[in-house]
Structure formats: structure tokens, C-alpha cells
Amino acid sequence: MKKGIIIAILVGMLGWAVYDFVVPKNEGTIEEFVDENANSTNQNSNVIEEDSKNDTGDVGLSVGMQAPDFTLKTLDGETVSLSDFRGQKVMINFWATWCPPCRAEMPDMQKFYEDEKVVILAVNLTETESSKDDVYDFRKEFGLTFPILIDENLDVGTQYQIRPIPTSFMIDTEGIIQHKATGPMNYEQMVEELKQMN
């Protein structure tokens, strides 16, 4: 089983390397969202916290700011806006099926969704997928029941300045960003961040 997983990851990484080498780098492509080395200056921590919180209600991407609203369709064709969930705790997660760290955190996200009172909006960067069918297959493979939003033109990914993936935002009942993480989160981290939100 472990050998199969390792082989699948290696094949995926090789496929990505070939894709990255063959496909020209144009503005608006995945290169804006994925750090090729998957390394950031915060190698020891995948958490980005701001030292001072912004209490002015300004819209922005820093901890303490109002999360920018967006509207996308789900994989099932339902139209969903972030503002629809005001009054509830929300986790927004940006991901793609070909991303090994995204695959690694999905079972924890599903358990988190089942166990806790939280809305998960899993924003798939669909333009980066080889086919929309890959997203359907992924949902089935992992038994995902939370909403998967389709960002076909990377509009929301661009709005949220996503790089690298996965990137997650934990948003409180007032729509304020309370936590931002780049890289995968595990179940315990998700629960801990949820406990600290109002």
C-alpha cells in the first residue's frame, strides 16, 4: 500500500515536471499559484499569522481583516457566495487534484467537516486541472461531502493571491479572517483553530 502511494506521488511529480517544462508560462496560469519548489520561507511552520490584528473592518487577506466575498458554482451547479455563510464559522481551502499535499489533507478535512460545526468551501483551481472530470473522480475517491467550488478561470484564486496550494483561511462568524495557513493542515490543527474563533 505504501509503495503504491509513493509510486503515485512520484508519477504525479514527474507528470507535473513534464507539464511545467512543456507548457509555456503565460499570465493567468498555475505558475501564479504554485511555488515550483513547494518551499516557502516558513519551512518549519505552515501558519501565517499577523502580529497585529486589523479591527477596522477593512476587506483584505490578512488576519483580522474582512475576507473578500466571492461567488462560485459548486461541482453540482449550485451558486454559492461566501457571504451566504455569515454567522457561521467557515474554512476556505484552495486546492487541486494533482497536488500531493492537497490529497494528503482531504481525509482530515472530511473528518473535520463531519465532526465539527463548520462550513468548508473547498475551492478547486479548476483551470489547472486536465479535466473537470478529475474533480468528480477525486470527490468520489475521497468520499467528500462538503461543497466543492469550481474556480474555472482562477478568478477567486487570483483575488485571494493563492500561492502555493493548499492554502486555507479560517473565517469567524463575522466574516473576519482569524487564521491563514499555507500547506496542508491536519485534523488537530483545524480543530484547534476552530476553537479559537468566535
Side-chain angles (χ1 to χ4, degrees):
M1 180 69 177
K2 288 183 180 177
K3 286 182 182 178
I5 293 171
I6 292 170
I7 290 170
I9 290 172
L10 290 175
V11 168
M13 291 172 68
L14 178 62
W16 174 248
V18 170
Y19 171 84
D20 190 49
F21 181 75
V22 172
V23 175
K25 290 177 171 47
N26 296 322
E27 234 177 50
T29 62
I30 186 59
E31 285 77 16
E32 294 178 3
F33 300 97
V34 179
D35 183 4
E36 291 174 342
N37 297 324
N39 289 325
S40 69
T41 55
N42 296 326
Q43 283 184 331
N44 296 329
S45 171
N46 68 343
V47 176
I48 297 174
E49 294 279 359
E50 299 295 324
D51 289 334
S52 59
K53 293 195 175 186
N54 179 332
D55 296 324
T56 63
D58 291 340
V59 175
L61 300 174
S62 299
V63 170
M65 299 186 86
Q66 187 83 36
D69 197 15
F70 60 84
T71 301
L72 290 171
K73 288 196 179 298
T74 68
L75 198 53
D76 299 316
E78 179 185 353
T79 300
V80 171
S81 296
L82 175 59
S83 56
D84 295 341
F85 302 99
R86 186 61 58 87
Q88 300 177 64
K89 297 175 183 178
V90 178
M91 176 183 185
I92 305 172
N93 176 266
F94 292 88
W95 67 284
T97 64
W98 49 262
C99 161
C102 302
R103 296 179 71 85
E105 81 176 343
M106 283 296 167
D108 284 348
M109 281 177 54
Q110 180 61 36
K111 181 173 174 20
F112 182 55
Y113 180 70
E114 291 170 358
D115 291 353
E116 304 293 335
K117 292 184 178 178
V118 64
V119 173
I120 293 181
L121 301 177
V123 180
N124 176 261
L125 302 176
T126 313
E127 185 177 280
T128 71
E129 304 285 358
S130 57
S131 167
K132 196 173 181 180
D133 289 339
D134 292 347
V135 186
Y136 286 101
D137 294 343
F138 187 94
R139 177 174 68 177
K140 184 176 180 183
E141 177 185 349
F142 285 89
L144 304 177
T145 57
F146 48 77
I148 295 176
L149 281 56
I150 303 301
D151 191 5
E152 293 192 76
N153 301 313
L154 303 181
D155 294 333
V156 179
T158 300
Q159 178 185 16
Y160 271 73
Q161 301 174 13
I162 300 307
R163 178 180 177 139
I165 57 173
T167 294
S168 298
F169 292 84
M170 302 293 282
I171 299 168
D172 69 15
T173 57
E174 296 176 4
I176 305 297
I177 298 170
Q178 294 297 327
H179 178 78
K180 178 181 177 182
T182 58
M185 294 178 70
N186 63 37
Y187 176 79
E188 291 75 19
Q189 290 171 316
M190 295 175 197
V191 170
E192 183 59 33
E193 292 305 326
L194 186 70
K195 284 179 183 174
Q196 295 181 32
M197 292 171 26
N198 61 7

